Each structure stands twice: as structure tokens, then as C-alpha cells.
Amino acid sequence: MIGLLTRQVKKHFEAILAIFALIAVFYVLKSVKGPGALRREKIEQAREEEHTTLLPRKWVPDLNKVFPVEHYQIPTHPDPKCTPKQNLYFLRTHQTGTSSVTNIFYRYGKEHDLNFVMYPLKLHLNYPGRINMLYLERMMPEKGYNILSQYTRHHQSDVLRIMNPGTIFTTLLRHPVDQFLSVFNNFDIKQEMKNLLPHHNPYEEFFRRPDKIAMLASDSVYHLIQNSMSFDLGLNTPHFKNNSAVDEFVEKIDSEFHLVLILELLDESLVLLKRLMCWNLNQLVYVKLSVNKEYSVSISDDIRQKIMDWNSIDMRLYTHFLEKMKNIISEQDESFHKEVALLKQINSDFSKECYEKVFPVYNGNKIGYSLRKSHETNMTCKELATDDVTQTHVIGLKQFKDKLPPSDILMVRNHMQNLKKHNPAMLDWTDVYKVLHPDKSQPEKNEL
């Protein structure tokens, strides 16, 4: 009798323990936050910060930095008496062809010994956060900053604060369907969101529930998945569904940027930039540094429409500035189209004269070149084929050479020597060494 009672008590006791264990597991799982929950918390936090009153800034805008309106107007015809402008802000958007355009500004800046806004050897300026203004002001050269072309999010007050007076504001847009597909493939969104991997058509799976799937992305790509050009230009994610905020945003960008380039009309855009900046066509030569694959050819009309709906703000932004670009072009004189044709010819001639072979590198996302023997020492051919990371390193070494530790210089040397194996036409370490040490013709053996 006692044994039977003992067994029943033990049985009930084990059942009670199991119930308590299940309750404990429930509360533990409830306290663990998945990627989606963490993402929603961040969005809510950003929404709250939008409405938080910030402390007054010590810095106030210097009205003398803004020149008369004529300074920022695009001429309708070439002006042989104009003075070249050397202060430029180029807001880099993602997957829009900015590598080739930025190469123009890197070369122009080096040719005219201009100063760049950058953290030493960094392609980004704290993207997607705010620029560290105090650091940049502390590192500011005596003649100030002339060119800002590193990745950053647009904040007009930051640019006006750090740049020299009369700076021209410009950026580059691409059709949102092609831009989204480029992000999706080049940033390997399928790998980011594991549940897309098993599907033969990841686009269809993504758009089956885009809001939920986007929540699974890491911080490094989340802001690139939807309306990324608008995000780069300063529109915060909580405002994506606020129509009045979007209207104000487009008007704001229109009023703050003096020229918005369009990738699909790149040569026309660059000729307009040439007239605005009073540069010459030879300074606007470029070659492709990234592969712009035609991903949109392989998608259905239904997926194309879903991409445009998902990136509706980027569509509004792009459509607005595409129409504006066409209006500006229509106002140009007859010589404009001759200049566009001449720029196309100059680009074609440079490519034929400089390079023997063109080939894809880095999983097919970038383009490499090999030089013709007759142009192996041509610095323009080398610089045209040099990627933006290496250009940043080269400029950083020159601009901050007295402030960088030897380990950073060694890192740049190793980086360039490794890249040279994939892109033989790019700058050599010896080319950079000559700039750093003009008194020496060649580096020592231990410096190679």
C-alpha cells in the first residue's frame, strides 16, 4: 500500500516538474528576440528619435559659403571665359555606377592638388551614420576641403559646414528596377536571407512577403533593400509610408542639389557637369569599373511591377529628376549634342589605345584591364582602370602621409600588390611610392 502511494506521488511530482519546465522554456523563448523583432525595435527607436528635440548645435551656417544663384546655374552654351570650379560634393548612391564617376573626381583632384573629405584610407564616412564633424575639422587642411565623394548619407548642414564656399552639390540616380536587382545580386541577398536559398526564383519568394523577409537582413544591407537611393539622400525609413514627408523630401533634394546625374543618360549628364564646373571633356573620360548586368531582362513583367511598387519612393525620385534632366537638355544649344558625341568618341579612343583585354574579376562584379605595351607607363590609362578603394588609399597616403603609421602604408602596399594580379592595368605600388617619396626614383627592396 505504501509502495503504491509512493509511486503515485512520484508520478505526480514528475508531471508537476515537467509542467514547470515547459513554463520555464516558454518564458526563455519569449525573452529571446529574433531578427524580425530586433529590426522592429530599431525602426521604432528611429521613429522616436525623429520626434526627439535635439540640443541646439554650437555651429551655425555661414551665409558667406553660399554664392549668388548664377554660380550654381547650368549654362546653356559653353563659356570660354568661365573659371573652373574646384569645390564639389558628390553624394554616392549604391549600385548606380558611381565608381566610374568618382574616378573622374579622384583624377581631377589629384591633378589640381585638391583636398578630399575622407577618413584616412576609408571609402565610407561613417555610413549610414552621421559624419564625425569634429574629427574632420581637426584634420582639415589649411586650404580647406575641395571634394567630398566618399559614401555618406546626405545632410546639407554637414556638407555646408565642412566644405569650402561655393561647393556644387551633385549625385547620381539609376532606374530603380535595375538598381534593386543590382543590389539583390551583388550584395547576395539570397545568402543574407537563408530562406530564399532553396527557391529557384528568389524574386518571387521575396515579394511573397517582402516586409517580413527584409526584416531578416543584417544591418549592413537592410537599408539597401528598399528605396536605397532615397535613404542615401537622407530620407529615413519611418517616413517611407508618409506621403507628405516624401513630397517634402523630393522638393528638398531638388532645391539642395544643383545637378542630379542620370546613369541612363550618363554622357549627357557629364557634359552638363562639364558646363556647370567649367571643366574640359578630357577630364571627364571614364571606363566601366563595375559590371552593370542586365538582370531586368530575365524577370517577368509582374516582378518588375512589384519591384517598382516596393521602391515607389525611388521611382518618384528617379522620375522627377529624369524629367528635369530632359528639360535641361532641351534648353541647351546645338553644340551640346556635339559635345556628347565627342565625349563618347574620346572614351572609345582611350579604351582602344590603353587596353588590350577587358575581363570580369571578383565573381564577375568588377572589371579588370590589361594595358597595351605601348601604354604601360601611361598614368591616365592606369588611373582610369584603378578601383575606388585603391584610389582612396592612394589619396589618403598623400593627404595624411605624415599622420599614418607604417602598418597602414604596408597594408596599402599589400592590397595593391594583390589586386594587381586581378587587374594588371591599375596603378602600381611604385607609382604611389614616387608620389610619397619624390626624392627617390624607386623603392628599396624592403619597401617593395
Side-chain angles (χ1 to χ4, degrees), residues 153 227-235 240 249 313-314 317:
R153 283 192 76 203
N227 296 312
S228 72
M229 293 187 290
S230 298
F231 180 85
D232 290 341
L233 282 161
L235 185 67
F240 281 3
F249 161 72
I313 302 171
D314 274 1
L317 187 74

Side-chain angles (χ1 to χ4, degrees), residues 135-146:
Y135 174 83
L136 290 174
E137 287 174 335
R138 191 166 65 248
M139 300 287 285
M140 185 181 291
E142 184 178 347
K143 295 181 180 178
Y145 291 117
N146 304 105

Side-chain angles (χ1 to χ4, degrees), residues 417-435:
Q417 290 175 343
N418 288 331
L419 250 61
K420 188 77 175 174
K421 300 173 185 176
H422 304 283
N423 184 11
M426 65 176 280
L427 288 169
D428 298 304
W429 170 246
T430 52
D431 299 323
V432 180
Y433 189 88
K434 292 174 187 175
V435 175

Side-chain angles (χ1 to χ4, degrees), residues 360-376:
V361 295
Y362 305 124
N363 298 321
N365 293 334
K366 300 293 183 181
I367 295 178
Y369 295 88
S370 61
L371 289 167
R372 294 187 182 277
K373 288 187 178 181
S374 58
H375 286 68
E376 285 180 348

Side-chain angles (χ1 to χ4, degrees), residues 89-103 105-106 122-125 127 148-154 170-173 179 224 228-229 231-234 257 289-290 366 387-392:
Y89 164 52
F90 178 61
L91 189 280
R92 292 192 67 172
T93 47
H94 286 80
Q95 298 299 307
T96 58
T98 58
S99 296
S100 297
V101 177
T102 307
N103 187 283
F105 305 142
Y106 288 148
K122 299 291 185 182
L123 190 61
H124 293 254
L125 290 171
Y127 181 91
L148 195 170
S149 58
Q150 307 302 85
Y151 281 108
T152 184
R153 283 192 76 203
H154 175 60
T170 186
T171 186
L172 177 63
L173 299 180
Q179 192 268 346
L224 300 177
S228 72
M229 293 187 290
F231 180 85
D232 290 341
L233 282 161
F257 282 79
L289 296 174
S290 299
K366 300 293 183 181
D387 64 285
D388 50 359
V389 174
T390 303
Q391 291 278 18
T392 295

Side-chain angles (χ1 to χ4, degrees), residues 5 14 27 51 74 91 117 165 177 183 205 208 213 224 234 241 248 264 296 317 332-333 352 369 373 383 393 434 442:
L5 183 62
E14 289 175 349
Y27 279 104
H51 300 289
I74 302 171
L91 189 280
V117 179
V177 172
V183 167
E205 177 61 19
R208 197 165 62 83
I213 292 179
L224 300 177
K241 295 182 180 180
E248 291 178 10
E264 288 76 11
S296 59
L317 187 74
Q332 301 299 301
D333 68 350
K352 290 176 182 177
Y369 295 88
K373 288 187 178 181
E383 292 205 347
H393 288 170
K434 292 174 187 175
Q442 291 291 331

Side-chain angles (χ1 to χ4, degrees), residues 10-29:
K10 184 178 180 181
K11 182 178 179 181
H12 289 303
F13 181 71
E14 289 175 349
I16 292 170
L17 281 179
I19 292 171
F20 275 111
L22 288 172
I23 293 172
V25 170
F26 171 76
Y27 279 104
V28 168
L29 292 175

